[in-house]
Each structure stands twice: as structure tokens, then as C-alpha cells.
Amino acid sequence: MIIASNLTKQFGKLSALDNVSVNFTKGECIALMGPNGSGKTTLIKCILGMVVPDSGFITFNDKNILHNWQYRQHIGYMPQIGRYPENMTIGQVISMIKDIRSAYNKSFDEELIESFGLNEILKKRMRTLSGGTRQKVSASLAFLFHSDVLILDEPTAGLDPVASEILKEKIKTKIKNGKLVIITSHILSDLDELATQVIYMQDGKLRFHKNINELRNETGQQKLAKAIVSLMHNHSA
Amino acid sequence: MKKIFKYVTADILRNKIVLAYTLLLMVISFSLFMLQDDASKGMLSLLNITLLIVPLTSIIFSAIYVYNSAEFIELLVSQPLKRKSIWLSLFYGLAAALSIAFFVGAGIPIIIYQPTSTGIIMIITGIVLSVIFVAIALLAAVLTRDKAKGIGITIMIWLFFALIFDGLILFILFQFEDYPLDKFMIFTSAFNPVDLCRILILLQMDVSALMGYTGAIFKDFFGSHVGSVVAGFVLLLWVIIPLWLSTRKFQKKDL
């Protein structure tokens, strides 16, 4: 569904992506992992067209995304740090995004807005929100459109355990419905429940892209955290 | 496109700065017209003040607005929207808000006290100047990531067009006073939209005689039909070129 070929991106001297090629197919839940600054968010932003790679290209449903923007109607994106116009209220942000996408969507999935209890605080201004509430708004916006692809950058960071459970359940149903979900997270136990494939990045390079069962068999570890650690150990050894 | 324009304009109009700017213009214009018995003298004072205030407010407000909308832009870019239409909506929103502010603040008093062709030209040039400096501000804002640096640059640009440019021209004039510089003067005025607007209005006011020999040459050129069409075209270029450059830059920008 999404194919990235030989992506390279430099930020000054720092090479954020170094010849990265990946292939994402429908119905998978891909866990994008790696240390801080390994290029995960840059890769996601490249897919969203927010960052333009220096070389290489990305196709979405076999169409190059360069100079294309319609493809984003199929994507729900939850940013790592949700930044919204500070003067708008939650309700205004939600209705604005709905309005913008109304050309592509007639029905909206408001389940998360309800289960996060955002309905009661629609009048609150964005600048007054805590980090966790912002995350809830970001998550609700990402799931609003029945999108085929969900890109979630650290979705559970900053959420309280209850909200984080609600979100995980929501992600699970999306995977069951055959959507493509791409998640980055440092909370490996979360990924353990959700992921079907694992991508590990380091210093802008793709270290491996494996099926989670394959990874478990290879390392003999059931827990993702232990499997990764043992694999990293082997790599460095 | 229409939708983003709607949100941007609503957001700007909610901003109290634009309202304050409108009121300031209104207070200045009404007091200038009321202080003088002769409305055309009032126009002359108003001209000098607006030629300073309008570019300054337009360029700084637009630059700050673009920097403060970084989150908004980021949010929009991840949606199924063309980058070009996001950027142009920002431009249209700012240009519309500042033009309306000028029209209400300075245009209405002018219509009341000086409903002549000079007054109309004054209103039009004021609006054109607002739009030009919005376009320049957008270019400055897209080129520099750092907010403080970007706003500093816009202040420098304003200073250059409002003061330094004229100083340079005067310097050149005095250095080369033995040479015929009339054609050169007309040519250089195209490089400063503020000067161009000033000349256009002064010629309407029949005070160009005060500008001496150069004034006569200006009158000869800009007073003619061809001259005013050329001047209008040059002013239009002052909007289109910065806007085109900034749009191109924005389409490739990493957010």
C-alpha cells in the first residue's frame, strides 16, 4: 500500500534518513522502533508529505506522493506533539478538521471523542489543555475519518492508563478491520499486544523489518522487549 | 481553499491588533482632517503618516501572524489539502484583513473629507501598499525558521524602504548632480513601492512643483496615461514576485 524507496534526508550535517526502503501492506500493524533521533518521525513525516526527502520516493497505492495531496484523505495522523491553534476551542478544532475533510467523508467516527469525554469540554481553549488532553484530541482527530491508514506517533505517551486502554482497544479493532496501522512507541508492552511487524531504525538506517512471529522464533523470546534487546545484542556483537 | 480562507480571516479578525490598527488609523485621519481647514493639507499630512504606518504594520503583523500560525499550518499540511492553497489562503486572509482595516480606518475619513480623485487614489494605493507588504512579509517568514530573526528582517526591510532607500537616492543625486539623472530617477523609483505610491499621490495633488525639476520629470512620465499604467503594473509585480517566490519555497519546506 505504501512503498518507500531509498529515502534519504539530511538536516544540515545530521542524516535523519539514510537510504531507507520499506514496504507497508494492508492489514498489518507496523511497530516503528528505534532510539531517540533514529529517524522514525522523519520517516512518518515523509509519508505524510510534511518533509520532502532529498532523494528517493514514496508511492501510496502505486502513485507517487510528490506534488500529490489527495492521497492524504486516506490517512489519519496522530502527531507526537499535537500542536493546535491556541485560540481555538476543542470543538472548533474538531469541526474545522471535519469541515476540511467533508469533501471526502460524510460520516465520522466519533467514538473516541465520546469515550475520552471530550464532549464535556468542547468549549475549552487549546492553550489551556494539559499534554494528556491534547493527546486525546490528536487521537480523536486521527480516528475521525474511517481512514485506511492510521499513522500514530507515540500515541500512548502522556495518556492516563484508562485512556491508553481505550485507545489500544480502538487500534485493535482497526487492525481487525484490515486497516494499515503504523505506530512508533517506546512503550514496548503496548506494541507487544498490537504489532504484527517490527521495523527497527538506528541513526537513520533501517536495521531490520521482520514479522513479529519470525522475530520471536529467531530470538526464542516471547516478549518483544526481550526479543529486541537480544537482537540488538547480537547486532552489536 | 475557500474553507481555509474563511478560518484564517476569522482568526485574524478575532485578533485585537487589527482592530487597534483600524482605530489608530481612524484617530489619525480624523484628527488630521479636523486640525486643518484645508482638507488637501490634511491629505498631505495623512499621506506622510500612512506611508510610514501602513507598510510597518502590514509587514510586522503578517510576519508575526505567520510565525504564530506554525501549529495551524502544520495541522493543515497533514490534511488532504494542497500546500499552495494553504499558503495562498494565508496570504489572502492577511491581505483582506489589512486592506479592510485600512479602508475602514483611513478610507472612510478620506471619503468624508476629500471625496475627490486624489482621495480615491490615496485609498487604492494604501490598500495596494498593505497587500505588497503582506507579500514581502510572507517571503521573509518562509525563508527564516527563527521567529526573532524573521521579524528582525521584516523591520530591516521596512526601514530600508521607508528611510534608507531615500537616503541612498539623495546621496547619489548629490554625488552626481552634474549629470542628467532624470531617467535614472524614474527607473529607481520602481524599486521602492513606498516611493512609487508617494509619487502617484503627490502628482494627483498638484504639489509636484514643490519637488523641483525632478518633480516636473515625474509629472511628465507618471502623469501620462502610459506612466500610470506602468506604475500600476510595477506595483502589481511587487505583489506577484514575492508571493510567487514564497509559494515556491513553502511547497518544498519541511515542517
Side-chain angles (χ1 to χ4, degrees):
Chain A
M1 193 161 194
I2 303 175
I3 301 167
S5 311
N6 306 91
L7 292 186
T8 302
K9 180 74 193 176
Q10 294 271 134
F11 287 123
K13 274 182 187 163
L14 179 87
S15 122
L17 288 179
D18 185 3
N19 210 13
V20 172
S21 301
V22 278
N23 189 350
F24 302 126
T25 44
K26 246 185 150 145
E28 301 281 355
C29 176
I30 288 129
L32 201 52
M33 297 196 292
N36 299 122
S38 57
K40 299 175 303 255
T41 300
T42 309
L43 177 61
I44 284 177
K45 286 192 167 181
C46 280
I47 294 173
L48 282 161
M50 295 170 82
V51 168
V52 186
D54 297 334
S55 67
F57 62 90
I58 299 170
T59 61
F60 189 97
N61 283 340
D62 302 324
K63 272 192 215 117
N64 197 328
I65 64 163
L66 198 69
H67 307 305
N68 186 345
W69 47 278
Q70 285 100 337
Y71 79 96
R72 274 181 235 134
Q73 64 182 277
H74 304 293
I75 299 180
Y77 169 55
M78 176 175 174
Q80 185 169 17
I81 303 159
R83 304 208 301 159
Y84 299 98
E86 301 284 296
N87 281 324
M88 288 174 97
T89 64
I90 298 180
Q92 282 170 336
V93 170
I94 293 175
S95 59
M96 178 180 77
I97 298 291
K98 269 188 193 169
D99 187 22
I100 286 172
R101 290 177 79 143
S102 58
Y104 310 105
N105 282 77
K106 290 285 167 268
S107 71
F108 300 103
D109 180 358
E110 299 193 344
E111 194 193 325
L112 278 184
I113 300 181
E114 261 163 53
S115 44
F116 282 149
L118 294 181
N119 272 330
E120 286 108 65
I121 50 170
L122 284 179
K123 290 238 153 54
K124 268 199 176 181
R125 300 226 170 249
M126 293 309 294
R127 89 174 92 82
T128 64
L129 299 187
S130 71
T133 319
R134 261 165 206 268
Q135 283 290 89
K136 286 181 187 171
V137 175
S138 303
S140 310
L141 289 177
F143 284 90
L144 205 51
F145 306 102
H146 308 286
S147 315
D148 294 335
V149 178
L150 287 160
I151 298 180
L152 312 168
D153 201 350
E154 309 257 0
T156 50
L159 286 183
D160 59 62
V162 179
S164 150
E165 254 343 282
I166 294 173
L167 183 59
K168 271 193 274 180
E169 282 310 312
K170 186 77 187 164
I171 298 173
K172 269 185 209 163
T173 54
K174 289 285 170 191
I175 300 167
K176 250 183 229 152
N177 293 343
K179 315 276 188 192
L180 168 61
V181 182
I182 301 169
I183 305 182
T184 76
S185 183
H186 292 294
I187 306 167
L188 295 175
S189 56
D190 285 352
L191 295 175
D192 232 349
E193 298 171 44
L194 301 167
T196 59
Q197 291 188 359
V198 176
I199 289 179
Y200 194 90
M201 293 182 70
Q202 201 173 22
D203 303 324
K205 289 189 187 70
L206 189 79
R207 288 286 175 215
F208 60 79
H209 180 176
K210 281 193 171 99
N211 194 295
I212 197 152
N213 293 324
E214 195 184 322
L215 190 70
R216 282 183 178 136
N217 290 338
E218 224 171 85
T219 54
Q221 301 283 357
Q222 275 307 305
K223 283 272 172 220
L224 188 59
K226 286 192 174 150
I228 293 290
V229 170
S230 100
L231 209 63
M232 285 293 73
H233 210 71
N234 292 345
H235 263 278
S236 53
Chain B
M1 184 93 154
K2 252 190 228 153
K3 279 174 189 161
I4 319 169
F5 173 69
K6 193 179 77 192
Y7 287 109
V8 169
T9 322
D11 190 40
I12 297 172
L13 292 180
R14 225 178 299 151
N15 198 315
K16 303 215 172 44
I17 300 285
V18 179
L19 194 70
Y21 170 57
T22 315
L23 286 178
L24 176 74
L25 281 177
M26 205 171 245
V27 168
I28 290 174
S29 349
F30 272 120
S31 49
L32 282 178
F33 279 123
M34 281 190 239
L35 277 175
Q36 256 125 0
D37 301 329
D38 185 0
S40 62
K41 271 188 195 161
M43 275 288 279
L44 204 56
S45 324
L46 183 59
L47 169 71
N48 286 324
I49 292 178
T50 48
L51 283 180
L52 283 180
I53 292 181
V54 169
L56 180 68
T57 322
S58 300
I59 201 169
I60 292 187
F61 177 76
S62 308
I64 293 177
Y65 185 79
V66 172
Y67 281 111
N68 284 354
S69 310
E71 297 95 14
F72 184 60
I73 296 173
E74 217 169 277
L75 181 66
L76 291 179
V77 166
S78 69
Q79 300 300 323
L81 294 168
K82 236 183 183 169
R83 276 203 186 192
K84 194 174 164 188
S85 51
I86 297 173
W87 192 247
L88 289 182
S89 309
L90 261 180
F91 168 74
Y92 292 142
L94 282 165
L98 289 166
S99 303
I100 293 170
F102 180 81
F103 184 77
V104 174
I108 290 178
I110 291 174
I111 291 173
I112 295 172
Y113 286 96
Q114 187 84 341
T116 58
S117 64
T118 318
I120 305 292
I121 297 247
M122 174 98 174
I123 296 171
I124 294 174
T125 45
I127 290 174
V128 170
L129 263 189
S130 311
V131 177
I132 288 174
F133 279 87
V134 170
I136 295 175
L138 255 64
L139 180 60
V142 81
L143 288 177
T144 42
R145 204 168 256 281
D146 185 57
K147 188 173 172 177
K149 202 169 146 195
I151 293 170
I153 288 174
T154 57
I155 294 177
M156 288 305 294
I157 292 173
W158 172 76
L159 213 57
F160 177 77
F161 285 137
L163 300 169
I164 300 173
F165 188 87
D166 292 349
L168 284 176
I169 295 293
L170 267 181
F171 177 75
I172 292 172
L173 275 183
F174 276 109
Q175 290 301 310
F176 297 95
E177 57 186 340
D178 298 338
Y179 300 89
L181 285 172
D182 24 307
K183 292 251 170 60
F184 172 76
M185 284 303 295
I186 292 178
F187 179 69
T188 46
S189 66
F191 289 96
N192 188 345
V194 181
D195 272 357
L196 207 53
C197 288
R198 194 197 315 266
I199 293 166
L200 278 179
I201 300 169
L202 282 180
L203 287 179
Q204 287 292 321
M205 285 179 166
D206 275 334
V207 284
S208 48
L210 294 178
M211 297 196 290
Y213 178 58
T214 340
I217 291 160
F218 279 147
K219 177 125 194 139
D220 220 35
F221 181 72
F222 290 110
S224 69
H225 269 294
V226 181
S228 38
V229 169
V230 170
F233 180 70
V234 171
L235 285 176
L236 200 64
L237 281 184
W238 269 104
V239 178
I240 293 171
I241 293 174
L243 185 62
W244 178 71
L245 287 175
S246 67
T247 312
R248 256 181 51 139
K249 180 78 189 163
F250 180 71
Q251 280 174 316
K252 289 185 192 134
K253 197 179 178 182
D254 296 331
L255 291 157

